[in-house]
Amino acid sequence: MGIRRAAQYATFAGAALMVSAGTALAAAAEATALPEDAVVGGYVPMKPTEGKGMPTPGAIGFQEQFSPIGEYGQWMHNAVLMPIITAISLLVLLLLLWVVVRYRTKANPKPSRTSHNTLIEVVWTLLPVLVLLGIAVPSMRLLASQYETAPEGALTVKVTGYQWYWGYTYPDYGGFEVISNMLPEDEALANGEPTQLAVDKRMVVPAGVPIRIQTIGADVIHSFAVPSLWFKLDAVPGRLNEKVMFIEEPGVYYGQCMELCGARHGFMPIAVEALPRDKFEQWVLEQPGGTLGEPAMTDVNMPVQEPESAVPGAAGAPRPDSALEEDVDAAEPAPTAA
Amino acid sequence: MATTAPETFPVHEDAHHDAHADHKPAFFQRWFMSTNHKDIGTLYLIFSIFAAIVGGGISGIMRMELAEPGIQYLGAVHEFLGGAAGDFDGSLHLWNVLITAHGLIMVFFVVMPAMIGGFANWFVPIMIGAPDMAFPRMNNISFWLTFMGFCSLMMSAFMPGGTGMGAGTGWTVYAPLSTTGSPGPAVDFGIFALHLAGAGSIMGAINFITTIFNMRAPGMSLHKMPLFVWSVLVTAFLLLLALPVLAAAITMLLTDRNFNTTFFTPQGGGDPILYQHLFWFFGHPEVYIMILPGFGIISQIISTFSRKPVFGYLGMAYAMVAIGVVGFIVWAHHMYTVGLSVNEKMYFTAATMVIAVPTGVKIFSWIATMWGGSLRFASPMWWALGFIFLFTVGGVTGVVLANGGIDDNLHDSYYVVAHFHYVLSLGAVTAMFAGWYYWFPKMFGVWHSELLSKLQFIVFFVGVNTLFFPMHFLGMNGMPRRYPDYTPAFELWNWVATKGYEIMAVSIVIFFANILYAIIVRKKAEGNYWGEGATTLEWTLSSPPPFHQFETLPVIDDKAGAAH
């Protein structure tokens, strides 16, 4: 498998070519595309950037996050939860090792008969309570950020889970539905995309604006999940679920169905392509039935509304070190094609 | 003991008239019509080991398939089971059948029978000084219902279940995948398996509650009961309150499937999420049902080998009660992504984290029990120490998942798989092995090899950690559960996990070698082979105990010692 994987990522690197996206939204972004994309007009599926919006080989942490809520969630996990749970596990391990060494029969032949100590029992009940209260603060903030719904006039994408593919309907733009199926392995590799994640038609959305995602299941329950956007919402028959998605920069973000839905549950991936507004509109016009009839937020220069602005750790706030490092890496130009 | 088995069956009267304590019925009567709690306990243990071979073998097929990207083995297994060659959907359906069977077998036919049917049946009556369970014949039917439940589940694998043979719904049997999504009788057989096992467990729960409340020996007050008995008492209440809800939910599934009701079908006014609420109202207490008896076993072992009474006995007992009570009001943390309101998520986040407090009390009290003790490291103690650490690791990842906002990313990923295998496969199963080696000579009268059981512990510990720890990484990196194939980025840790499975499998070989050792060497065990520190009532009896113990009830007058 090693060889196949290496070949696949060689394809990524070879195809990657930096082009100027030309919009404020994509300022530091690594929106890469084939040279043909530079030709005016015509939507060409964006080439994914290796390691962005997809799992990284051998990684031991979260995928890099591209939404404010994801950055806050990742910060909370890495900076709050991980140190606490690591410390607790190590504390228990050290105490175990200590009693094993200190109170083995040879070291302590006469066992004590102590079986009560009210003070220490109260302490080890109250201390965890305090720790949990400490965790609860960022946890409740993270949840509270979900109170805000998408602003009126935000783009709506209705995501329908079918056995076993996804449908993306755009009610604001003529109500066309994009049917998205998994690409077979050879085609995915030919496209320079990761296998099991690449699809024939992506869910294309604008970057930098709140999007109202509505999910529903057509047959059984599915779950629309994109790990790099910290987004997961079940698609349940008979129930229209709604949640805000906000993608900070253009790119391709892969996800998969995450609720068991039958035989091909593992074969209905998700690919979200976030584009600058004008490119997105271009794409809409190319869809059968796609129209810019009454788009509510067409002005690219309109100030961007951030629904997760309540999230303290969003833009500007300190981010985990790892994320900063990844940013530095990402800012370096990708290798150009020969 | 007015009606002991031999008197009940006239066929036996000719040969033996005198019913003294060690009068054992003939083979068929003894093992197929048993009313003796120790024999039924042994039956449960044998059944659990057998089911574990099936359930563990299934996970072997799963780990083999997941070792590298692509579908390598499912097609061959599918054909072996009688499927058509090249039937891709059939092979993928087989995958869902495997994950479903693995979950159901391990939960209902391995952990529950071993913990409650096996160890609790064997030792609860002895530990409270009772001659047998309150309802010996109901005890028998509990076992055979569980057995028939297993048969029903096995049969379902050979019935049409929609896209292939067998029930491929996951152990949670979510509607509408389990109703309109799975035509054919396979899911009906699977549901019926749950009905049978559930009925058996409810009867078992009634039996334990009655036994513990009514049949304690003179002087054995509730607050003198060994902690293992406490753990089984709490577990029995959880079973009694939770299982009827499951029974109702899956009965509604059956009528939705077969009688055109629409409890969970939106087209007829039902709601698929209602099923999830009902299922997890049972499902969350169920995870405590699996782990609480393990807590009890570990408490007995730690106390015995520290030669010290359990530290904070009352705190330990009521921590289990608290876990049981709070366990009933946290169920929707399994459903954070179904479209719950933010307020609901906040409530369930807060309530779930509360459970960490009594759990912490238990962990710290075990350590405090050893503190100041005089520790001996017989093999059960190795398993118990391993349990405390592994359960802590599984517990803290539970605190991570309890946060609804974090679960938005981790839900239904391999992180969840890692978490619940740490508390079950590494927690409950480790406790089961601890109990097995603690009581094996007591139950069967002959010694296992201490060397082999320690060796098994080391191999098992290395194996399960190699198997399940990388799953945290896979989950955070985005790998979903219940997938037979994945993108190559997930290959490394999947490959490591499969290697871990192979190591773990070696430890199971050692386990069986140890049983063979006991059978061949037949080294006799004394009554109290652990010596000082082993103070509960089973150590006052011979090994194995007489067929009917305590025909004269023991009197517990010791203020501190005998009970705990």
Side-chain angles (χ1 to χ4, degrees):
Chain A
M1 281 323 303
I3 293 168
R4 198 177 84 183
R5 197 168 66 195
Q8 184 189 336
Y9 290 120
T11 321
F12 278 145
L17 177 70
M18 276 297 275
V19 293
S20 167
T23 67
L25 287 169
E30 52 282 60
T32 55
L34 280 179
E36 290 84 27
D37 198 24
V39 180
V40 179
Y43 160 80
V44 176
M46 187 190 282
K47 288 290 163 196
T49 313
E50 191 185 339
K52 176 182 174 178
M54 64 175 85
T56 319
I60 61 168
F62 285 112
Q63 294 179 21
E64 193 186 348
Q65 296 298 313
F66 293 92
S67 68
I69 203 165
E71 280 154 14
Y72 188 74
Q74 192 184 30
W75 168 81
M76 179 182 160
H77 177 271
N78 292 353
V80 180
L81 291 170
M82 269 313 276
I84 292 176
I85 68 172
T86 311
I88 293 173
S89 301
L90 287 180
L91 174 73
V92 170
L93 182 63
L94 287 177
L95 287 173
L96 282 177
L97 291 176
W98 170 253
V99 293
V100 162
V101 174
R102 173 63 186 81
Y103 297 109
R104 64 191 198 278
T105 304
K106 266 188 193 165
N108 193 37
K110 273 238 173 285
S112 84
R113 300 295 294 173
T114 315
S115 63
H116 303 282
N117 184 330
T118 311
L119 177 68
I120 196 165
E121 288 181 60
V122 169
V123 167
W124 73 41
T125 308
L126 288 184
L127 264 186
V129 171
L130 292 179
V131 172
L132 290 171
L133 281 177
I135 293 175
V137 173
S139 180
M140 292 300 153
R141 274 189 187 166
L142 185 58
L143 285 172
S145 68
Q146 298 176 11
Y147 273 126
E148 280 193 59
T149 51
E152 209 175 324
L155 164 71
T156 301
V157 182
K158 183 182 165 201
V159 177
T160 312
Y162 300 93
Q163 279 179 317
W164 292 276
Y165 55 91
W166 293 97
Y168 306 112
T169 311
Y170 293 74
D172 308 329
Y173 293 93
F176 62 91
E177 184 176 20
V178 176
I179 296 296
S180 177
N181 275 290
M182 190 180 93
L183 278 184
E185 184 173 346
D186 49 344
E187 286 180 43
L189 291 175
N191 276 3
E193 291 192 84
T195 57
Q196 297 295 121
L197 295 176
V199 300
D200 55 356
K201 291 195 176 136
R202 294 171 181 163
M203 176 179 122
V204 179
V205 290
V209 290
I211 304 155
R212 181 185 296 110
I213 300 288
Q214 296 180 331
T215 60
I216 193 163
D219 30 47
V220 299
I221 303 177
H222 305 265
S223 185
F224 182 80
V226 186
S228 59
L229 302 176
W230 210 271
F231 193 94
K232 185 173 295 148
L233 192 59
D234 289 3
V236 185
R239 161 188 285 243
L240 197 66
N241 279 333
E242 183 178 313
K243 198 172 182 182
V244 185
M245 176 184 271
F246 187 94
I247 309 173
E248 286 169 341
E249 56 182 62
V252 184
Y253 307 92
Y254 294 101
Q256 287 171 293
C257 177
M258 283 181 108
E259 183 59 65
L260 181 63
C261 59
R264 298 198 188 181
H265 166 52
F267 299 80
M268 48 182 291
I270 295 154
V272 178
E273 180 173 335
L275 289 176
R277 188 90 205 184
D278 53 343
K279 290 249 171 81
F280 165 71
E281 285 173 357
Q282 214 170 45
W283 173 83
V284 166
L285 290 173
E286 283 178 25
Q287 304 307 309
T291 145
L292 297 181
E294 288 180 354
M297 293 176 64
T298 42
D299 189 359
V300 189
N301 299 319
M302 175 179 169
V304 169
Q305 294 193 36
E306 295 189 38
E308 274 89 14
S309 56
V311 179
R319 296 172 62 189
D321 288 343
S322 60
L324 286 175
E325 279 165 25
E326 281 164 29
D327 274 359
V328 172
D329 291 343
E332 291 187 8
T336 47
Chain B
M1 291 311 296
T3 53
T4 52
E7 291 165 10
T8 325
F9 302 107
V11 62
H12 213 69
E13 273 175 10
D14 306 4
H16 308 277
H17 283 283
D18 49 335
H20 59 81
D22 249 8
H23 177 104
K24 295 188 183 78
F27 180 82
F28 186 80
Q29 263 193 19
R30 179 169 178 195
W31 296 109
F32 288 84
M33 305 155 90
S34 182
T35 51
N36 183 301
H37 74 102
K38 294 184 287 292
D39 284 352
I40 295 173
T42 304
L43 285 173
Y44 265 116
L45 287 173
I46 294 169
F47 168 72
S48 168
I49 292 172
F50 177 75
I53 297 171
V54 179
I58 287 173
S59 54
I61 299 173
M62 284 151 55
R63 277 316 330 162
M64 204 163 72
E65 178 58 61
L66 286 171
E68 18 178 278
I71 303 286
Q72 287 89 16
Y73 302 101
L74 279 182
V77 179
H78 181 58
E79 267 187 68
F80 176 76
L81 290 174
D87 175 7
F88 188 56
D89 276 355
S91 309
L92 296 180
H93 183 88
L94 171 68
W95 175 264
N96 294 343
V97 174
L98 293 178
I99 58 150
T100 307
H102 173 74
L104 288 175
I105 290 172
M106 289 306 194
V107 169
F108 289 96
F109 302 112
V110 176
V111 176
M112 287 169 70
M115 291 279 199
I116 303 156
F119 293 131
N121 237 321
W122 249 100
F123 292 105
V124 163
I126 297 181
M127 281 179 160
I128 62 173
D132 205 307
M133 295 287 282
F135 307 115
R137 290 199 192 93
M138 195 164 82
N139 203 4
N140 187 29
I141 203 168
S142 288
F143 171 76
W144 288 106
L145 280 175
T146 310
F147 179 83
M148 293 316 289
F150 186 70
C151 294
S152 177
L153 181 63
M154 290 293 98
M155 278 193 279
S156 81
F158 303 96
M159 313 271 173
T163 36
M165 302 296 261
T169 59
W171 85 283
T172 50
V173 207
Y174 276 4
L177 180 61
S178 60
T179 54
T180 50
S182 300
V187 176
D188 296 313
F189 271 79
I191 290 171
F192 192 51
L194 291 184
H195 272 123
L196 290 171
S201 292
I202 291 173
M203 286 192 224
I206 294 168
N207 218 338
F208 279 113
I209 292 172
T210 315
T211 306
I212 295 171
F213 278 158
N214 292 320
M215 293 176 66
R216 278 171 285 123
M220 175 69 79
S221 65
L222 280 176
H223 284 173
K224 279 188 184 170
M225 291 194 313
L227 280 174
F228 179 63
V229 182
W230 263 106
S231 73
V232 174
L233 181 64
V234 176
T235 304
F237 270 102
L238 295 189
L239 283 168
L240 193 67
L241 296 174
L243 276 168
V245 180
L246 173 74
I250 59 179
T251 305
M252 285 187 256
L253 280 185
L254 272 186
T255 61
D256 269 16
R257 288 175 56 82
N258 299 302
F259 306 118
N260 286 327
T261 58
T262 54
F263 293 110
F264 309 128
T265 312
Q267 290 87 333
D271 183 3
I273 302 300
L274 170 65
Y275 174 79
Q276 298 188 17
H277 279 292
L278 291 172
F279 180 84
W280 287 114
F281 188 82
F282 146 81
H284 197 76
E286 171 68 23
V287 303
Y288 298 121
I289 287 165
M290 287 188 275
I291 198 65
L292 283 175
F295 285 174
I297 293 171
I298 298 301
S299 295
Q300 304 303 139
I301 292 173
I302 297 279
S303 167
T304 295
F305 295 103
S306 305
R307 297 186 224 184
K308 214 170 146 261
V310 170
F311 187 93
Y313 168 84
L314 283 180
M316 287 291 255
Y318 286 98
M320 288 191 284
V321 175
I323 291 172
V325 171
V326 182
F328 272 106
I329 51 168
V330 298
W331 73 91
H333 67 215
H334 298 270
M335 304 163 54
Y336 280 139
T337 62
V338 301
L340 295 184
S341 76
V342 177
N343 286 348
E344 277 177 283
K345 283 173 148 186
M346 284 181 171
Y347 161 71
F348 282 105
T349 297
T352 303
M353 289 207 286
V354 168
I355 290 194
V357 176
T359 313
V361 168
K362 295 207 72 76
I363 301 271
F364 293 128
S365 295
W366 282 321
I367 295 173
T369 303
M370 292 185 274
W371 200 281
S374 184
L375 272 58
R376 277 174 308 152
F377 298 101
S379 66
M381 189 64 167
W382 289 40
W383 288 94
L385 289 168
F387 170 91
I388 295 177
F389 177 66
L390 295 175
F391 189 80
T392 304
V393 175
V396 293
T397 56
V399 173
V400 172
L401 287 170
N403 297 286
I406 303 291
D407 187 72
D408 277 337
N409 195 337
L410 293 175
H411 186 85
D412 260 332
S413 76
Y414 258 80
Y415 194 92
V416 177
V417 179
H419 160 69
F420 68 68
H421 280 96
Y422 259 83
V423 286
L424 293 178
S425 183
L426 287 71
V429 172
T430 303
M432 276 155 55
F433 280 124
W436 177 258
Y437 290 119
Y438 184 59
W439 283 316
F440 183 91
K442 173 57 69 185
M443 292 189 287
F444 305 114
V446 291
W447 271 97
H448 57 268
S449 156
E450 278 285 280
L451 181 71
L452 281 180
S453 44
K454 287 174 185 175
L455 184 67
Q456 189 206 338
F457 170 75
I458 294 169
V459 179
F460 183 84
F461 188 88
V462 172
V464 287
N465 279 296
T466 315
L467 171 52
F468 293 114
F469 205 80
M471 290 185 184
H472 294 112
F473 305 152
L474 288 172
M476 285 204 279
N477 206 5
M479 179 161 166
R481 308 167 61 172
R482 297 166 162 173
Y483 267 37
D485 198 0
Y486 50 83
T487 192
F490 297 129
E491 184 179 4
L492 173 67
W493 294 121
N494 269 301
W495 180 83
V496 171
T498 299
K499 289 294 150 196
Y501 178 86
E502 289 165 11
I503 299 170
M504 189 275 296
V506 172
S507 82
I508 301 306
V509 173
I510 302 173
F511 169 75
F512 285 109
N514 211 348
I515 296 178
L516 272 183
Y517 169 92
I519 292 173
I520 294 165
V521 177
R522 304 198 70 80
K523 189 178 147 201
K524 286 254 177 282
E526 305 162 36
N528 184 359
Y529 46 87
W530 298 125
E532 190 198 343
T535 54
T536 41
L537 284 173
E538 76 266 37
W539 308 112
T540 63
L541 300 173
S542 59
S543 299
F547 194 64
H548 296 301
Q549 79 274 356
F550 299 139
E551 295 208 316
T552 309
L553 291 181
V555 176
I556 288 78
D557 50 4
D558 184 358
K559 283 181 194 72
H564 48 90

